[in-house]
Amino acid sequence: MPPATPADSTRLNPIVAMPAHALSDAIRRRELSCVEVMGAYLAHIDHVNPKLNAIVARRDADALLREAAERDAQLDAGQWLGWMHGMPQAPKDLTAVRGMVTSMGSPVYQDQVTPHDSIMIERVRASGAIFIGRTNVPEFGLGSHTYNAVYGATGNPYDLSKTAGGSSGGAAAALAARMLPVADGSDFGGSLRNPAAFCNVYGMRPSAGRVPFGPSTDVFLKQLSYEGPMGRTPRDVALLLSVMAGHDKRSPLSLRDDPAQFAAPLDADMHGKRIGWLGDWDGYLPMEPGILDLCTQALGVLGSAGCKVADYRVPFAGERLWRMWLAHRHLMVGGQLHALVENPETRKLVKPAVIWEVEGLDGMTARQVYQATEERSAWYQTVLRMFEDVDYLAVPSAQVFPFDVTLDWPKHIAGRPMDTYHRWMETVTPWTLAGCPVISVPVGFNAQGLPMGMQLIGPPQADVDVLRLAHAYEQASAPAADWVNTRLPDALWRAPA
């Protein structure tokens, strides 16, 4: 089937085709009722989701329409809850949502109904969103391929035989297929960036502390796993971040900046902004053919927006970074899931990656943990010095194009073996360790019609600047290279399997 074109958009219900910011405005101005919006989305989901399996644990349609009617009544009474008033939303199945199943993709928790909201969900709920279900994840979010023993695999909207990425794969696929106006996700090892690249949308991992995590008993252990926004435009990403961000005393490392800054216009002069292109880190990172070419074309778009792009060499060994990544990953994942592996009854239910992470932690000494934190501090100081040379950094969002949905993970890239379940995602890990704000932007498609993205990275806490750069890229891309709107997913038109 040939790629979808802008003309195909006329076959979509215009409500689900709208950018989220336009949908929000239409609801607030009463040009669309919340019931109309919910009805349009539910009908579209009924058509598309059976093919993709992106939204799981769906709620009853009649109950959702009643909630939408309640939102309309609130507007009739002059009560507007916020930017997400009446918007359908399906939170990622890793975050707690009161009264809904939070399975985390694991048979251990497949019937777990959480009694409380996470901090982020409290804010999304307060802004008027209506929760229609959950978006699918890998078990416990481990690995950038969304499949699990509870709900099965999520397909890629552009090729149902390929993966949507992960761990926010259900979120990215639902967003690309117009089943959600925006989507929330979380990111430890690229889980907001890799699926955004694989599904041709925007996904942002905010700065450390930008979106408070919790309430939880392990707020310090979670310091490398952040929640963040996904959207089909940088504007939508920014507006969702304005809902999610802001200090909360239950999250002691959360930032105190006013989240209203993300609701402001993103227009900014990018002339003279310096972008350092990292590419494949001088050959350290194996890349599938075609990825660097697409990113180079995207860098040309940034050049047309006035940016100055130049190759940049990172003054820090890649293998050194990988060793500290493994230590932090073992500590934070292994520590969280240790009890499941210790218990013989639950150990047999979890996937091998869980056991591998726990056993990796068991093999570490306290001194090794401390050394890893020293190494991370050294990397952070290096990153600060790098941003004295440039204003932004750029690197591919993934090292492979979307791969076969039946695989667990790629074992080789360009002939080079991958020695762990997440080594093929190494391009994202340095920025996790540094706590930098990063957004993945779409850069186009290979000859097989598979999408790719590029990470745009800013200094720590420069989230607004990163969003402004992404917005400038989007504006400079139109119309020919506006990939989100010129290449609609095949899944929108294919009949259910």
Side-chain angles (χ1 to χ4, degrees), residues 195-239:
F198 279 11
C199 294
N200 191 42
V201 295
Y202 295 85
M204 184 177 184
R205 175 185 165 93
S207 288
R210 181 65 66 197
V211 177
F213 182 87
S216 171
T217 57
D218 57 355
V219 290
F220 294 106
L221 196 61
K222 285 286 189 179
Q223 62 175 288
L224 289 179
S225 181
Y226 309 156
E227 292 173 313
M230 307 180 86
R232 292 191 295 271
T233 72
R235 177 70 175 152
D236 292 345
V237 171
L239 286 166

Side-chain angles (χ1 to χ4, degrees), residues 43-113:
H44 183 64
I45 291 168
D46 285 342
H47 172 67
V48 176
N49 196 56
K51 301 171 259 186
L52 287 177
N53 192 38
I55 299 177
V56 297
R58 286 183 59 186
R59 294 181 57 211
D60 177 71
D62 289 340
L64 293 171
L65 289 168
R66 286 194 297 271
E67 286 189 29
E70 291 170 6
R71 292 287 184 270
D72 283 326
Q74 288 170 320
L75 289 173
D76 288 341
Q79 184 182 10
W80 182 70
L81 297 182
W83 182 70
M84 303 188 78
H85 191 111
M87 277 195 192
Q89 183 69 356
K92 184 177 177 179
D93 193 21
L94 292 183
T95 191
V97 183
R98 186 181 72 243
M100 296 183 72
V101 170
T102 306
S103 78
M104 295 182 275
S106 176
V108 178
Y109 297 118
Q110 62 183 348
D111 298 319
Q112 172 184 252
V113 177

